[in-house]
Amino acid sequence: MKHDLSVMLIGQEKEAFDDEDWIFELKMDGIRVLAYIEDHQVDLRNKRNLKLIQRFPEMKDLGKYVRKDCILDGELYCYDQGQIDFSKIQRRALLRDPFKIRMQSHQTPAVFTAFDILYYGSDYVMDRPLMERKKILEKCIRQETAHFSRSRYIFEEGCFLYEKTKEKELEGIVAKKKDSLYKPGERTKQWIKIKYLKDDDFAVV
């Protein structure tokens, strides 16, 4: 299993909408990663293909919770007082000291939520429609834990999920075309970002 795939990227941002040809899921405010799980060994890579598993040792057990070797696409994030906190996962990703890494893995454990699957066993599944991949992902996961889960989604009602996101002050949602294929390294308009928490760039002078 080669560990050099690129993630498929969201190619558009727009307002919330309803559409029967789309599904909608929560957008996690974390680090996008690919999890390569082979012979119960785990390798985490970020969008730049940098290895992360040494900085998140609590992820080394992911192989226990899947039925076959696989490559999972998902988000790695941390909680602070019940809310996802990007600054915490960002700080953990920069740690180098082994003692601090072990300490933070207990004090601020990361969570990995998988929302797509690229390989299942020896089967290449990126050329299958999204809804088929979602079913394969569900079959692949043997057990969910406090630190490993799969993303849930709803059909058609993007506006409803967006309003729930606003109530909880979450980052937003992602809309995905039901029949979308997974194209590594491409930016696709079949995945749409719908953000609630707004951000901007400022110059400090």
Side-chain angles (χ1 to χ4, degrees), residues 113-193:
T113 295
F115 51 70
D116 215 325
I117 185 166
L118 285 60
Y119 276 82
Y120 181 54
S122 59
D123 294 333
Y124 168 98
V125 298
M126 289 181 280
D127 58 351
R128 303 189 192 184
L130 173 64
M131 297 316 300
E132 187 174 343
R133 298 199 308 276
K134 288 287 192 183
K135 290 178 181 177
I136 295 170
L137 175 61
E138 183 176 359
K139 180 173 67 173
C140 174
I141 295 177
R142 182 195 308 276
Q143 179 184 348
E144 294 181 281
T145 73
H147 306 298
F148 176 51
S149 64
R150 63 180 176 87
S151 176
R152 269 46 177 190
Y153 55 88
I154 66 171
F155 295 99
E156 187 175 342
E157 298 183 82
C159 294
F160 168 80
L161 185 58
Y162 179 74
E163 289 303 316
K164 293 297 181 184
T165 301
K166 286 173 62 177
E167 289 176 15
K168 300 292 185 180
E169 295 191 344
L170 301 175
E171 189 188 8
I173 64 175
V174 177
K176 295 179 179 179
K177 197 80 179 291
K178 288 181 180 179
D179 60 359
S180 60
L181 308 182
Y182 195 101
K183 299 181 179 180
E186 291 193 20
R187 194 172 290 278
T188 174
K189 291 186 178 180
Q190 293 190 323
W191 287 10
I192 296 173
K193 177 170 56 178

Side-chain angles (χ1 to χ4, degrees), residues 34-203:
L34 291 178
Y36 298 84
I37 304 175
E38 187 174 19
D39 296 328
H40 299 289
Q41 301 298 307
V42 180
D43 184 14
L44 288 183
R45 303 288 181 106
N46 67 9
K47 287 192 292 188
R48 293 181 294 160
N49 203 39
L50 297 177
K51 294 182 178 182
L52 294 179
I53 192 63
Q54 297 303 323
R55 296 173 193 172
F56 297 93
E58 66 271 35
M59 293 291 117
K60 289 182 178 179
D61 288 337
L62 293 187
K64 296 178 181 178
Y65 308 120
V66 296
R67 299 184 187 281
K68 291 185 180 181
D69 293 351
C70 57
I71 302 176
L72 305 178
D73 186 1
E75 200 83 5
L76 193 67
Y77 54 95
C78 289
Y79 282 104
D80 181 36
Q81 297 182 355
Q83 295 285 347
I84 295 174
D85 188 332
F86 178 71
S87 65
K88 288 193 178 297
I89 195 73
Q90 187 178 46
R91 285 196 295 270
R92 285 204 56 194
L94 297 174
L95 288 176
R96 297 287 194 279
D97 182 82
F99 174 76
K100 291 182 178 179
I101 288 172
R102 288 196 303 272
M103 184 175 66
Q104 287 298 312
S105 71
H106 294 290
Q107 292 181 350
T108 314
V111 180
F112 177 63
T113 295
F115 51 70
D116 215 325
I117 185 166
L118 285 60
Y119 276 82
Y120 181 54
S122 59
D123 294 333
Y124 168 98
V125 298
M126 289 181 280
D127 58 351
R128 303 189 192 184
L130 173 64
M131 297 316 300
E132 187 174 343
R133 298 199 308 276
K134 288 287 192 183
K135 290 178 181 177
I136 295 170
L137 175 61
E138 183 176 359
K139 180 173 67 173
C140 174
I141 295 177
R142 182 195 308 276
Q143 179 184 348
E144 294 181 281
T145 73
H147 306 298
F148 176 51
S149 64
R150 63 180 176 87
S151 176
R152 269 46 177 190
Y153 55 88
I154 66 171
F155 295 99
E156 187 175 342
E157 298 183 82
C159 294
F160 168 80
L161 185 58
Y162 179 74
E163 289 303 316
K164 293 297 181 184
T165 301
K166 286 173 62 177
E167 289 176 15
K168 300 292 185 180
E169 295 191 344
L170 301 175
E171 189 188 8
I173 64 175
V174 177
K176 295 179 179 179
K177 197 80 179 291
K178 288 181 180 179
D179 60 359
S180 60
L181 308 182
Y182 195 101
K183 299 181 179 180
E186 291 193 20
R187 194 172 290 278
T188 174
K189 291 186 178 180
Q190 293 190 323
W191 287 10
I192 296 173
K193 177 170 56 178
I194 303 165
K195 291 193 73 174
Y196 167 59
L197 295 180
K198 306 299 181 183
D199 54 28
D200 208 340
D201 296 320
F202 298 90

